[in-house]
């Protein structure tokens, strides 16, 4: 373990990136060595809490992210937690993107997200809303969705009726259409705890009011930073700002306040310089990661782990990222770093998985990979068929 010796008690601990990466994997139950992790997650909410939200723009990818961190969890368990037990909530999370979040943590999340400063308004001047209009729309959304499950069109009618015709002006560029003005704050209503997804009505998404009262912003933000550092530390304020889509200077100020209070402490990433962990949480494994894992689209681990160039070394940077953005490709992890990409095609219960490694795999790695594919199929409640494709070394291979 990486520890501080008595002779250097006042100096920051030095942590290798390999040690940091191994601990992140272990804390999310993604470490190939089961002995490196604690007791397995047996409920979807536990897994989602550990990864700080599962990206759910593609719900099947979120189901797989959750299942891969659990013990025997399947997509049905995730759906039951979401729509029946209501221990998970589908709403707008970090970066304004759709996530699954633990229902028990929703007051913390909404308190923290509501307190994140917004950046420059990206919309044309004639499409923007005044601060008073924003508040009126958020209030209207919460009121309309209380005790109801509405499609986006039904919600739009209710918002316009409660605010005024200006809210319905078609000034927002959308998918092959123009959307009403009020839609630009849809995610903000989620961050304020006034909106969450409800079960689909046929092919149409519906929304409801989750009845959440956000916690006070300062305390919620401090708690979220601690959770982020526990899951993905050591990390810098810039890393946190990228993950949350927040201003870097603002994030640095939040870290400085927590450092002054003794809540977080500085360590040194051997390859990259100063970073932060939760105070007293500076022990890291020495053993390197060995083995393979498969992660789906927009898995939280690939998005939140920094420095990104170390998780996507060499050819992985070109093959498994889109302009430096993580998540656009499902990835193969080999010895803890991205070592290829994969894709799947489902037909009934049959799930055909094709893995494209960046380097040839040994016989032992191929056997491990076959086990991982079987696990993916079990989570998605299907039967697996593995094909190892040609070795790929670039974005056009």
């Amino acid at each position: 373990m990486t520890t501080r010796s008595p002779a250097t008690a006042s100096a920051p601990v030095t942590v290798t990136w390999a040690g940091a990466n191994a601990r992140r994997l272990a804390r999310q139950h993604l470490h190939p060595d089961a002995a490196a992790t604690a007791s397995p997650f047996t409920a979807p909410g536990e897994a989602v809490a550990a990864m700080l939200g599962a990206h759910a723009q593609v719900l099947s990818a979120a189901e797989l992210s959750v299942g891969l961190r659990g013990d025997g969890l399947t997509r049905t368990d995730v759906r039951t937690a979401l729509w029946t037990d209501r221990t998970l909530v589908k709403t707008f999370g970090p970066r304004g993107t759709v996530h699954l979040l633990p229902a028990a943590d929703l007051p913390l999340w909404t308190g923290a997200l509501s307190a994140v400063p917004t950046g420059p308004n990206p919309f044309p001047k004639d499409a923007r809303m005044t601060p008073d209009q924003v508040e009126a729309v958020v209030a209207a959304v919460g009121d309309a969705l209380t005790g109801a499950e509405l499609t986006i069109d039904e919600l739009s009618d209710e918002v316009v009726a409660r605010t005024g015709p200006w809210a319905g002006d078609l000034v927002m560029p959308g998918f092959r259409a123009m959307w009403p003005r009020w839609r630009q704050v849809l995610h903000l209503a989620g961050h304020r705890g006034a909106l969450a997804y409800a079960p689909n009505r046929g092919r149409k998404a519906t929304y409801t009011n989750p009845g959440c009262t956000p916690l006070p912003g300062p305390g919620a933000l401090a708690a979220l930073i601690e959770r982020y550092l526990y899951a993905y530390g050591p990390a810098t304020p810039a890393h946190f700002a990228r993950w949350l889509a927040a201003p870097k200077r603002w994030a640095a100020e939040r870290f400085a306040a927590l450092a002054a209070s003794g809540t977080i402490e500085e360590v040194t990433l051997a390859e990259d310089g100063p970073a932060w962990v939760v105070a007293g949480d500076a022990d890291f494994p020495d053993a390197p990661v060995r083995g393979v894992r498969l992660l789906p689209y927009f898995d939280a681990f690939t998005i939140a782990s920094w420095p990104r160039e170390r998780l996507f070394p060499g050819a992985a940077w070109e093959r498994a990222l889109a302009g430096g953005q993580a998540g656009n490709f499902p990835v193969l992890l080999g010895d803890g770093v991205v070592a290829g990409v994969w894709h799947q095609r489902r037909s009934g219960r049959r799930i055909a998985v094709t893995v494209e490694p960046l380097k040839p795999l040994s016989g032992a790695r191929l056997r491990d990979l076959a086990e991982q594919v079987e696990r993916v199929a079990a989570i998605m409640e299907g039967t697996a068929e593995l094909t190892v494709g040609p070795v790929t070394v670039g974005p056009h291979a």
Side-chain angles (χ1 to χ4, degrees), residues 243-374:
W243 173 72
L244 202 57
K248 291 183 180 179
R249 178 178 293 183
W250 171 87
E253 291 170 352
R254 304 283 79 72
F255 272 58
L258 290 177
S261 70
T263 303
I264 64 176
E265 68 174 276
E266 184 180 333
V267 298
T268 299
L269 271 172
E271 303 89 344
D272 298 287
W276 298 88
V277 296
V278 176
D281 189 35
D283 288 344
F284 293 84
D286 294 322
V289 176
R290 294 286 182 260
V292 297
R293 279 287 186 270
L294 296 175
L295 297 179
Y297 288 107
F298 290 101
D299 189 84
F301 177 79
T302 58
I303 290 174
S305 294
W306 291 86
R308 186 162 286 168
E309 63 270 19
R310 301 202 182 282
L311 185 62
F312 292 80
W317 185 270
E318 295 294 331
R319 183 65 184 92
L321 294 174
Q325 179 177 326
N328 290 280
F329 297 93
V331 299
L332 165 70
L333 295 184
D335 296 343
V337 300
V338 175
V341 299
W342 65 283
H343 52 90
Q344 61 176 305
R345 178 175 296 175
R346 184 165 191 142
S347 178
R349 285 186 53 82
R350 177 177 168 272
I351 302 175
V353 174
T354 301
V355 180
E356 301 175 13
L358 292 171
K359 296 179 180 179
L361 301 177
S362 67
R365 289 298 169 83
L366 287 172
R367 289 189 292 273
D368 290 345
L369 180 59
E371 291 180 1
Q372 290 302 304
V373 170
E374 290 290 345

Side-chain angles (χ1 to χ4, degrees), residues 73-209:
L73 296 178
T74 68
R75 64 176 183 171
T76 293
D77 295 318
V78 178
R79 295 172 183 180
T80 298
L82 183 57
W83 305 127
T84 303
D85 299 340
R86 304 298 176 102
T87 54
L88 291 179
V89 178
K90 182 181 176 184
T91 187
F92 293 93
R95 304 174 302 283
T97 53
V98 180
H99 276 68
L100 302 185
L101 301 174
D105 292 342
L106 196 58
L108 184 151
W109 274 102
T110 53
L113 293 172
S114 295
V116 176
T118 57
N121 193 314
F123 302 110
K125 182 173 287 188
D126 62 355
R128 297 176 186 176
M129 296 166 57
T130 68
D132 286 345
Q133 287 175 331
V134 169
E135 295 305 318
V137 166
V138 171
V141 168
D143 183 48
L145 293 178
T146 299
E149 296 180 357
L150 303 180
T151 67
I152 193 65
D153 292 334
E154 293 167 344
L155 178 57
S156 190
D157 290 342
E158 293 290 339
V159 169
V160 172
R162 284 169 165 79
T163 55
W166 57 266
D169 292 340
L170 299 178
V171 295
M172 280 280 297
F175 294 110
R176 301 179 183 178
M178 297 298 286
W179 289 345
R181 186 187 308 273
W182 76 269
R183 286 279 298 270
Q184 62 192 270
V185 297
L186 184 71
H187 72 284
L188 181 60
H191 287 176
R192 298 278 190 86
L195 173 147
Y197 282 79
N200 281 5
R201 189 189 304 164
R203 289 180 171 270
K204 293 185 176 181
T206 70
Y207 303 89
T208 190
N209 187 331

